[in-house]
Amino acid sequence: MTWQPICALEMLPPEYGVPALVQDRPVAVFRTHDDELYAVGNVDPFCGAGVISRGIVGDRGGEPTVASPMLKQVFSLRTGQCLDDPSARLPVYPVRRRPDGVVEVALP
Amino acid sequence: MTRTLIVIGHGMVGHRLVEAVRQRDATDAWRVVVFGEEPRPAYDRVALSSYLDGKSAEDLSLTGQDVWDDPMVELRLGTAVTGVDRAARTVSTADGSVVGYDALVLATGSRPFVPPVPGRDLDGCFVYRTIEDLDAIRAAATEGAPGVVIGGGLLGLEAAGALRRLGMRTHVVEMAPRLMPLQVDEGGGQVLGRLVTDLGLTVHCGAAIESIDGDDRVRSIALADGTVLDAELVVFSAGVRPRDELAEVAGLERGERGGFLVDEFCRTSDERVWAVGECAAVQGRCYGLVAPGYSMAEGVAEQLLELGDGTFPGADLSTKLKLLGVDVASFGDAHGQTPGALEVVYANNAAGTYAKLVLSDDARVLLGGVLVGDAGAYSVLRPLVGRELPAPPEQLLLPAGSGVDAGALPADATVCSCNNVTKQDITTAITEQQLTDVPGVKACTRAGTSCGSCVPMLKTLLGECGVVTSTALCEHFPQSRSELFEIVRATGTRSFSELIGKHGTGRGCDICKPVVASILASLGHGHVLDGEQAGLQDTNDRFLANLQRNGTYSVVPRVPGGEITPDKLIVLGEVAKEFGLYTKITGGQRIDLFGARVEQLPRIWRRLVDAGFESGHAYGKALRTVKSCVGNDWCRYGVQDSVSMAIRLELRYRGLRAPHKVKAGVSGCARECAEARGKDFGVIATEKGWNLYVGGNGGFTPRHAELLAADLDDERLVQLIDRFLMFYVRTADRLQRTSAWLESLDGGLDHLREVVVEDSLGIAAELEEAMQRHVDSYTDEWAGVLADPDKLARFVSFVNAPEAPDPTIRFVEERGQIRPGPVALPMPAFATQEVSS
Ligand SMILES: Cc1cc2nc3c(=O)[nH]c(=O)nc-3n(C[C@H](O)[C@H](O)[C@H](O)COP(=O)(O)OP(=O)(O)OC[C@H]3O[C@@H](n4cnc5c(N)ncnc54)[C@H](O)[C@@H]3O)c2cc1C
Ligand code: SF4
Ligand code: FES
C-alpha cells in the first residue's frame, strides 16, 4: 500500500470535501465534524460526473454521509454504500493524517 | 338522434347547465344552443367586485376556449331572446332569427330592483350587476366625492365597499332598522353597523328615500326625515327581481312574487320547458344565491340525460361572507321563526363580535344562528343544524378554536354545502384514497372548491383521520422552516453548529443545511462562503454557479431588467469565446454561459467583474430576474416606464435568499409582454399607477399571479413588495414557491392582503426594516470570492493537481458550440431534475 499526500489538513475544513487525483483516480476526501477523515470515489455512479467531493456532508441516523450534489442520492462515507439505492456504491480508500498535518490517501 | 337544447341566458347558472350536460353527455345526444344578452360569455358574478380591484373580465370568465371549440355547443352572445313559441317549439331573437328546440331552459337571472323614486333616471344613478355596470361606475366615480348606496343588504354593502375602494366618501341608506336585515338579527346588525362605521362608511338605517335631486346629474338625495345627503353618484342595491319577461310571451305561469313557476324538478307546466337559477320560482320560491342555482342546473342536466330524477332538494341559504373585511355568517333559522325557538347570544362589544344560536324549545337541537365579526365557528356550526348539540351552547359560542371539534359532527352532516359533500364522503375519501392534505381532499371530493368556508373543517377532518402532517424539516430538526427562521432571528444564532446543538440532533444533512444557510443569508450574516457556511451550501451556492449534468457549471451575470449596453454584450461574447463556453439566451432575459470547469470560474468572474458585471444569482434560491418589457420609452402602448421599474426592483432585491427561487416581471401596460403574471410577483402598469400581482409561476403547476393591490405609486409599490417578500421568506416552507405558500396560507390571498397591505399583524414596519437591512448590506458574491485567497483556493479541479483536467468532463460539438459528451458511466433513467435557468 502506497500512501500519497493530498493536501494540508487546513485545506479541508470540518464537514467539507475536496477532490484529489490518486494515481489518475478521482477521489473525494472528507473531514467530518469530529475530525474523522474519509475518502471515497469522486465519480457519482448515477451520472458519471466527478462531483461527489462537492456534496453536503452530514449524517443519517448517526452514519456519516455525503449527498451527491447532482441528483441528491446519499452515500455512507464509511462504506461507500448508497443509502437510497442498494445497487450503487462508491469505492472507499484508506485515508490518514500524518503527524505534520498532511492528509494522505492510499490505493489498496 | 341528436336533439336541440336551447338555453336562454348565459349567466352563472346557464353556464353550469351547459357544462353539466356536456360533461355527462357521452353519446352527444344534445346539441346545445345558448343565447346570452350580455356581450361576453358567462363570468363569475359572485366575484364581480374584484373587477374593481383590477381583475380583468378574462380573470372572471367561467368559460375557456373548450366551449368555443366544442362542436356540440353554439354560443350566441349579445343576442336577446324576445319570443318563445311553445306550440312551434321555437324561440326568436331580437335580431330576427328563429331557432327550434326539443328542450328549452330559461336561465335569465334577475335584474336589480330600482325603487320608483323621483329622479332615479338622472345621470350618475347606477345598478350593480354586470361588468358594464361596474365600468360605468368606475368611469363616473371621483375620489373624495360623496357616493350613496341605496340598500344595506348583502349586495348593498358590497357595492359600498366598491365605492369606498374607488375613494368615494360612501353612505349607505337602508330602510330597515339595521344592516343586512335578511341575514342578521338586531344584535348582529348593531355590531355590524359599528364595524362598518369604523371602516369609514356612514350608515343611515330606518331611512326612506324621498327623492333624488339634481339638474342633469345627481347632486343630492332627500330622505323622508328631511335629511339631505350630498351625492355625486348613486348605486341602487335594493334587491333583485327575477327576469321573467318571457313568461308572458311564452304563456308560462309566474310565481306569486314573480319568476317562472316551476315544480321541484324545475319544470314549468310545459314538460319541455324548465327554468333554473334566479329566474326560477321553485314551488313558488326564488333563490338569490348561486349554490341553489347550481343544484337546479345539475338536476335538469340529469333529467335531460335520463341519469337520475333530478329533483331540486331545496336550498341551504346559509351564507358566510367577508364584506369589506368584516366576517358575517348566518345559517339555518337565523331569525328564530320556529315556534318555541330559544336564543343564546354572546356579544363582545370590545372585540366587535356577536354570535347567536337558535335552539329548539328544549334547547337541545341547533336550528340556526348568526355570527358577526368572527365567523370562525361557522364551519362547525352549519353542519350541525337540525341536530342535537354536542356540547353546551356557551361552549359552542366561544371564539373559534376553543369550541367543539369535528368529532362532534355526525357522519352524514354536510360539511361543504356549496358542493353538497358530507363528513362521511370526506373521511371515506381520506382513508380510501390515502389523502394527506387539503388539496388532495379538494381534488377528490370537490369539497372546499367553491366558497372555501369549509376548508378549516377539511383540515380538522384530516387530523381526525389520523393524518399527521409533520412539519419537521428532516430527521435533524423537529421544527418547520418558518419555526427555525424565528428561532434564528429571535436568538441571534449565527452558525449551523450552534443551532443544531441547541435545537436539533445529529450533524445535519443536505436538507437542513441549505435551509439554515438560506436563513442565515436572509438575515444578513456575511458572505455565503464565510467559515462554516461554505459547507452548508448546495453545490450551486458553494461555487456561485449552476451545476450542470456533466459536473461543469454555467455562469450567469446579472443584467438588470434585461437592459444591456453593446460594450457589455461584447464582453459576454468575448468571455464565452475565450473559455470555449456554450452560450444561450434564457427565458429570464439573461445570457447563460455553459461548460465552465470549477477551476475556470474565478478567471471568468474576474473578466466579468472587471467589465462591470456581478453575480446574477442564477444558482441560488434567491431573487433571479425581474423581466421587463419595452415600456413607454419605446413601446407605443406603454403607459409607464417598466424598464426603470424592473431595474429598480432587481437592484433592490438582488441577492435576497428565499425558500425557493423568486422571479418577477414588470409590464408597461395591460398587454403584458413581460408575462409578469407568470411570476412570483408581477407588476403591470395602468394609467393610474402599478398593479401588483403575487403568487404566479411556471414550473410543474403553472399558476397565474393574483392581484394583491392596484393603482400604486412607485413608493407604495416598493413598500408592498418589501413586505410581501420578507413575509414569504420568513414563513414559507423549504422549497415552497410563493404559489404553494399562498395556497397554504390560512385565509389565502385575503389574509395575505390583510397582512401586507393593511398590516393586520402589525409587522409591516419590521418587514420593511429587514428588507432595508438586506438592501444596505448587499455586496457582490463573485467579487467577494475574488478578493479572498482562502475562498479562491477551493476552486480547483483537484486539490493535489490543480491544473489536471477532470477526466470525466468531455465535450462534443453541435451547431458550432460545445455540448456535454457521453460520460464514461452508463446514465440511469431518472425522474426530471429541476433545471435552473
Ligand atoms: C355583486 C354581486 C355579488 C354577489 N354575491 C353573491 C354571493 O356572495 N353568493 C351567492 O351565492 N350569490 C351572489 N350573487 C348572486 C349570484 O351572482 C346569482 O345568484 C347568480 O349569478 C345567478 O345566476 P343566473 O345564471 O341565474 O343569473 P345571471 O348570472 O344573472 O345570468 C342571467 C343571464 O341571462 C341573461 N338574459 C336575461 N334575459 C335574457 C334573454 N331574454 N335573452 C338572452 N339572455 C338573457 C342576462 O343578461 C344574464 O347574463 C351576487 C350577485 C352580484 C351581482
Ligand atoms: S406590455 Fe405594453 S408597454 Fe410593455 S411592451 Fe407590451 S405593449 Fe408595450
Ligand atoms: S362550503 Fe363552500 S366550498 Fe365548501
Side-chain angles (χ1 to χ4, degrees), chain B residues 445-523:
Chain B
T445 63
R446 279 187 90 169
T449 53
S450 306
C451 74
S453 71
C454 57
V455 169
M457 187 52 96
L458 304 184
K459 281 190 194 154
T460 322
L461 289 176
L462 276 164
E464 208 185 276
C465 291
V467 178
V468 226
T469 31
S470 167
T471 54
L473 193 55
C474 64
E475 68 171 81
H476 305 101
F477 285 101
Q479 302 86 349
S480 68
R481 180 188 173 281
S482 62
E483 286 162 352
L484 280 181
F485 195 105
E486 287 312 311
I487 291 174
V488 172
R489 196 168 71 88
T491 59
T493 308
R494 298 190 70 96
S495 77
F496 178 80
S497 296
E498 193 186 334
L499 189 68
I500 198 164
K502 285 201 191 133
H503 303 280
T505 50
R507 285 310 305 172
C509 62
D510 60 315
I511 292 176
C512 58
K513 281 185 163 180
V515 166
V516 174
S518 156
I519 292 174
L520 293 171
S522 305
L523 290 169

Side-chain angles (χ1 to χ4, degrees), chain A residues 8-22:
Chain A
L9 189 69
E10 297 85 78
M11 292 288 286
L12 193 51
E15 312 207 280
Y16 212 82
V18 293
L21 260 194
V22 184

Side-chain angles (χ1 to χ4, degrees), chain A residues 4-7 11 13-22 24-27 30 33 42-51 53-62 65 67-74 85, chain B residues 475-476 496-497 505-510 513-514 532 534-539 542-543 547-553 598 793-794 796-801 804-808 823-828 830-831 833:
Chain A
Q4 187 171 326
I6 300 299
C7 62
M11 292 288 286
E15 312 207 280
Y16 212 82
V18 293
L21 260 194
V22 184
D24 290 342
R25 271 197 233 184
V27 172
F30 295 94
H33 67 104
N42 194 35
V43 178
D44 179 333
F46 294 98
C47 64
V51 295
S53 67
R54 306 176 209 158
I56 290 180
V57 179
D59 80 301
R60 192 179 271 188
T65 57
S68 168
M70 196 64 85
L71 297 173
K72 314 289 180 201
Q73 289 90 357
V74 171
D85 180 344
Chain B
E475 68 171 81
H476 305 101
F496 178 80
S497 296
T505 50
R507 285 310 305 172
C509 62
D510 60 315
K513 281 185 163 180
E532 191 197 77
L536 304 178
Q537 311 286 357
D538 253 324
T539 186
R542 189 153 136 197
F543 291 94
L547 178 67
Q548 304 296 351
R549 67 182 313 137
N550 63 349
T552 61
Y553 288 83
V598 170
R794 296 180 194 147
V796 289
S797 51
F798 296 107
V799 66
N800 59 341
D806 184 336
T808 62
V823 279
L825 288 156
M827 280 288 289
F830 277 114
Q833 175 198 12

